[in-house]
Amino acid sequence: MSAFRLAAAQFPVSEPRTWDEVETLLSRWVAEAADEGARLLVFPEYAAMSLAALFDEATRDDLNLQVIALQTLRERYVDLHRRLSRTHGVYLLAGSFPWTLDDGRTVNRAWLCAPTGNADFQDKQIMTRFERESWQISGAPTLKVFDTAHGRIAVNLCYDCEFPLLARAQAEAGAELILVPSCTDTPAGYHRVRVGCQARALENQCIVVQSPLVGEAPWSAAVDVNVGAAGVFGPPDRGFPDDGVLALGTMNRAQWLYADIDLAAVAAVRRDGQVFNHRHWPEQVTVPAARPHPL
């Protein structure tokens, strides 16, 4: 099914007081997108951090205590998204979660849930300075692509999309669609991710979807300020808009952004687009090392 509707969330941070509030909010958002015909739903990076509001004030104020406490909710969180995927017959990328591994390291993990009830995850590869220095979140070495009824999908979590070789490896493994859940606290951060998304769409001749966290949560030590707009980007080539922008949300507004896409257009532009991919040119199969030369 190469043609389908996708929905990228400009999802607001919140301050739930009970788990029932969490379920009610997510259920409403998923039902709304499904009712609009979306078959793939994308939630932002660190959307799960709103769950820290369920804990006491001391936990809210401490990043490390938040991560420890959140581990008590992680299976429940994934199960909720799996159930919503099955109920509405949609693929759903859950908001990413700080997931502590058996060896004690914590990674930034996003679960992709299928209508069958199956789920798999992509961990963030490259940490921002905040994650690395203030939060002790670790990168993970495994890069995946997921075979779905709507084509082969990859995930780049926020900062990852700013490093071209990650998306290139996924595209060379067949990815036609790259999902980029993001969490940025300044307009500059948002634009870095957006520029990365558009560049990855251009160079890999694929569709890239950005889904940002938005809004303010003064109570949170992790997601206190969040800015951005959802976007769906393709290569500026045959079958796509001249600027490559398929859809763009309103900055900082809580909303779903919808886009009707056809991955057959990706296959067509990879086959005979105006701008061939690097693999079409033998001199670019192996990139020579750059060496300094005195002048």
Side-chain angles (χ1 to χ4, degrees):
M1 189 183 296
S2 66
F4 63 96
R5 171 168 282 195
L6 61 81
Q10 291 182 201
F11 191 66
V13 291
S14 60
E15 191 176 4
R17 297 299 184 181
T18 66
W19 180 260
D20 285 346
E21 289 183 30
V22 174
E23 286 206 21
T24 298
L25 178 65
L26 281 170
S27 298
R28 186 173 74 245
W29 271 72
V30 172
E32 178 183 327
D35 288 347
E36 290 294 325
R39 300 275 67 88
L40 170 63
L41 283 57
V42 187
F43 283 97
E45 182 184 42
Y46 287 128
M49 292 310 299
S50 289
L51 297 178
L54 300 175
F55 303 116
D56 58 44
E57 188 171 347
T59 302
R60 291 181 179 208
D61 291 340
D62 187 296
L63 287 169
N64 293 322
L65 289 179
Q66 284 187 24
V67 170
I68 293 169
L70 283 168
Q71 304 314 304
T72 65
L73 298 176
R74 67 186 198 178
E75 302 298 339
R76 198 174 186 183
Y77 181 75
V78 175
D79 286 345
L80 170 60
H81 288 83
R82 292 174 67 180
R83 174 161 51 84
L84 291 171
S85 295
R86 287 195 307 270
T87 298
H88 295 281
V90 298
Y91 287 89
L92 190 164
L93 184 71
S96 74
F97 196 105
W99 198 277
T100 301
L101 307 178
D102 291 341
D103 63 8
R105 292 181 303 121
T106 299
V107 297
N108 181 1
R109 178 165 291 182
W111 286 87
L112 182 61
C113 304
T116 59
N118 293 334
D120 201 347
F121 61 84
Q122 176 63 63
D123 292 335
K124 191 171 185 176
Q125 305 290 292
I126 302 174
M127 299 299 104
T128 63
R129 290 193 62 185
F130 174 76
E131 288 172 307
R132 187 186 307 274
E133 298 170 11
S134 301
W135 212 357
Q136 289 77 57
I137 305 293
S138 299
T142 304
L143 199 60
K144 302 178 181 179
V145 293
F146 303 100
D147 286 320
T148 77
H150 301 303
R152 187 164 284 180
I153 296 174
V155 179
N156 280 190
L157 276 82
C158 198
Y159 195 40
D160 283 350
C161 83
E162 298 176 36
F163 295 87
L165 295 185
L166 297 177
R168 175 176 287 188
Q170 291 166 314
E172 290 181 346
E176 304 157 282
L177 178 63
I178 300 176
L179 311 181
V180 182
S182 67
C183 176
T184 53
D185 61 358
T186 65
Y190 156 67
H191 282 286
R192 284 194 292 270
V193 178
R194 176 177 166 180
V195 168
C197 289
Q198 292 186 262
R200 304 298 79 81
L202 166 65
E203 66 200 14
N204 295 301
Q205 298 172 307
C206 65
I207 294 172
V208 181
V209 181
Q210 182 178 4
S211 167
L213 198 63
V214 297
E216 297 185 0
W219 59 268
S220 172
V223 289
D224 51 339
V225 178
N226 308 275
V227 301
V232 182
F233 310 107
D237 205 328
R238 290 174 176 167
F240 291 91
D242 289 342
D243 61 1
V245 179
L246 294 164
L248 190 64
T250 301
M251 194 75 172
N252 298 333
R253 192 179 85 185
Q255 66 173 107
W256 278 116
L257 177 71
Y258 299 101
D260 294 310
I261 66 170
D262 190 346
L263 294 181
V266 171
V269 82
R270 285 178 171 178
R271 183 183 63 246
D272 55 13
Q274 289 286 92
V275 180
F276 276 176
N277 190 278
H278 74 96
R279 62 181 171 272
H280 293 104
W281 307 109
E283 64 269 29
Q284 291 300 321
V285 171
T286 301
V287 179
R291 303 183 188 282
H293 286 260
L295 288 176

